């Protein structure tokens, strides 16, 4: 009887040790996942964000002001999709909130755009080797009755100094925000996954403007080297740079007035399909380090 009781006690002790070991392993796994910095994917409108969010696992929705954050997992790695709203101010605020709240490892700003380069067609995708604010401009000096001359306007770099932009000659240069090399490499590694158009590197222009004047579009293309224009990317790039967070813009052409490319709303979903592949590739590279 004593031997039987001793055996039962030994089994109980072993079971307790195994349970403790499993609990410890689960705790370590949870802590490891918690230590992973999320990847932040931004989309201005519902059609530019929600399709991506639907593909995440274990999604939780959080809100801050007007901004919506879909927190989930992709390949067991934390990914957050942010619906930022349209425009530079919305995007800058949403980016700052996300960085302060979630401390992302990287930011991808993605969505639709209008073409500036006549060699690009609807469904082509531009990887933002550079992103630039094309709405930050200084006009020439003209008196009353002398008209307006938009083609004579010059860049105004608000990041050039802490003094007046009107007094600093360095503020009259174009400010480009460079795309992160690792994010670019991940995007280029899967560009063949996008079957509906080509994937190229280029310059993404952003402003709280909607340009429908073809000559004005050509002016930006010639003077800023813009491939496409949209209304968010440069704001996100500026804030990401302020916090030293890796950034990349990825924009699909939904129309192109320079070559008659008609608007197609389905481009938003196509771009998210491609960005999904980019994020999977980037996660695999993070895990491989």
């Amino acid at each position: 009887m004593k031997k039987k009781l001793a055996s039962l006690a030994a089994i109980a002790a072993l079971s307790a040790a195994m349970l403790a070991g499993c609990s410890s392993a689960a705790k370590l796994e949870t802590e490891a996942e918690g230590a992973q910095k999320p990847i932040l994917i931004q989309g201005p409108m519902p059609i530019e964000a929600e399709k991506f969010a639907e593909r995440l696992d274990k999604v939780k929705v959080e809100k801050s002001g007007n901004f919506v954050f879909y927190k989930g997992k992709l390949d067991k790695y934390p990914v957050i999709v942010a619906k930022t709203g349209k425009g530079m101010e919305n995007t800058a605020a949403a980016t700052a909130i996300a960085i302060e709240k979630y401390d992302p490892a990287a930011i991808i700003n993605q969505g639709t755009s209008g073409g500036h380069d006549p060699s690009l067609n609807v469904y082509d995708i531009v990887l933002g080797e550079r992103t630039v604010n094309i709405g930050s401009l200084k006009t020439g000096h003209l008196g009353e009755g002398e008209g307006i001359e938009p083609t004579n306007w010059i860049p105004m770099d608000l990041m050039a100094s802490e003094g007046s932009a009107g007094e600093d000659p360095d503020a009259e240069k174009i400010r480009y925000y460079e795309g992160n090399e690792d994010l670019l490499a991940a995007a280029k590694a899967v560009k063949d996954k996008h079957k509906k158009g080509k994937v190229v590197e280029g310059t993404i222009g952003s402003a709280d403007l909607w340009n429908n004047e073809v000559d004005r579009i050509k002016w930006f293309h010639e003077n800023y080297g813009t491939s496409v224009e949209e209304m968010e990317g440069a704001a996100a790039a500026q804030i990401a740079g302020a916090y030293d967070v890796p950034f990349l813009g990825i924009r699909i052409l939904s129309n192109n007035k320079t070559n008659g490319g008609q608007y197609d709303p389905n481009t938003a979903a196509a771009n998210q399909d491609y960005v999904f592949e980019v994020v999977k590739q980037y996660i695999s590279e993070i895990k491989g380090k």
Side-chain angles (χ1 to χ4, degrees):
M1 184 69 178
K2 287 183 180 178
K3 286 183 179 179
K4 194 179 231 184
L5 288 172
S7 297
L8 288 171
I11 291 169
L14 180 60
S15 298
M18 290 175 67
L19 286 171
C22 290
S23 176
S24 178
K27 184 179 178 183
L28 287 171
E29 185 177 350
T30 302
E31 288 176 352
E33 286 185 2
Q36 293 173 326
K37 290 186 175 185
I39 299 168
L40 180 69
I41 311 301
Q42 298 177 315
M45 299 184 294
I47 64 167
E48 294 169 306
E50 292 178 353
K51 181 176 174 61
F52 196 107
E54 288 171 0
R55 301 178 73 168
L56 300 180
D57 299 321
K58 301 178 181 178
V59 175
K60 294 180 181 178
V61 180
E62 294 185 0
K63 295 182 179 181
S64 183
N66 292 326
F67 313 118
V68 183
F69 301 96
Y70 302 89
K71 297 175 60 181
K73 294 286 185 72
L74 174 54
D75 291 342
K76 298 181 179 180
Y77 192 93
V79 173
I80 299 172
V81 177
K83 187 168 62 177
T84 65
K86 294 186 288 185
M88 302 285 273
E89 293 82 4
N90 276 331
T91 304
T95 304
I97 289 169
I99 292 172
E100 290 283 357
K101 193 171 183 179
Y102 303 117
D103 190 23
I107 298 173
I108 295 177
N109 180 276
Q110 59 80 42
T112 58
S113 61
H116 279 201
D117 185 340
S119 72
L120 297 177
N121 300 307
V122 174
Y123 280 99
D124 287 345
I125 289 175
V126 176
L127 306 177
E129 186 177 26
R130 305 184 302 180
T131 305
V132 59
N133 186 340
I134 59 173
S136 185
L137 296 159
K138 185 164 65 173
T139 74
H141 296 279
L142 293 174
E144 185 177 356
E146 293 182 331
I148 57 175
E149 296 288 346
T151 56
N152 291 332
W153 296 355
I154 59 176
M156 183 170 59
D157 179 9
L158 300 178
M159 305 293 289
S161 72
E162 294 185 359
S164 170
E167 299 173 354
D168 189 342
D170 288 335
E172 297 179 358
K173 297 176 183 177
I174 300 173
R175 165 76 63 167
Y176 291 104
Y177 301 96
E178 303 294 326
N180 176 261
E181 291 184 2
D182 291 339
L183 288 169
L184 267 173
K188 289 190 286 186
V190 296
K191 66 180 182 180
D192 292 342
K193 298 284 182 75
H194 180 60
K195 306 295 184 183
K196 295 183 177 180
K198 57 182 178 284
V199 178
V200 302
E201 294 171 64
T203 299
I204 297 172
S206 311
D208 283 327
L209 293 168
W210 188 305
N211 288 304
N212 282 317
E213 299 168 336
V214 174
D215 287 342
R216 183 69 169 165
I217 291 168
K218 287 182 175 179
W219 185 86
F220 280 119
H221 178 58
E222 291 167 3
N223 289 277
Y224 284 73
T226 47
S227 308
V228 293
E229 73 166 52
E230 34 89 312
M231 302 173 71
E232 294 86 21
Q238 179 178 325
I239 302 302
Y243 285 89
D244 198 26
V245 178
F247 174 88
L248 181 66
I250 301 179
R251 290 285 176 159
I252 194 168
L253 274 76
S254 60
N255 73 301
N256 191 344
K257 293 188 73 68
T258 68
N259 60 19
Q262 296 297 308
Y263 173 71
D264 186 338
N266 295 320
T267 51
N271 198 55
Q272 289 167 80
D273 288 340
Y274 171 69
V275 173
F276 184 80
E277 298 297 334
V278 175
V279 176
K280 285 177 64 178
Q281 176 66 25
Y282 189 65
I283 289 171
S284 71
E285 292 175 4
I286 291 173
K287 289 182 175 179
K289 289 182 179 178

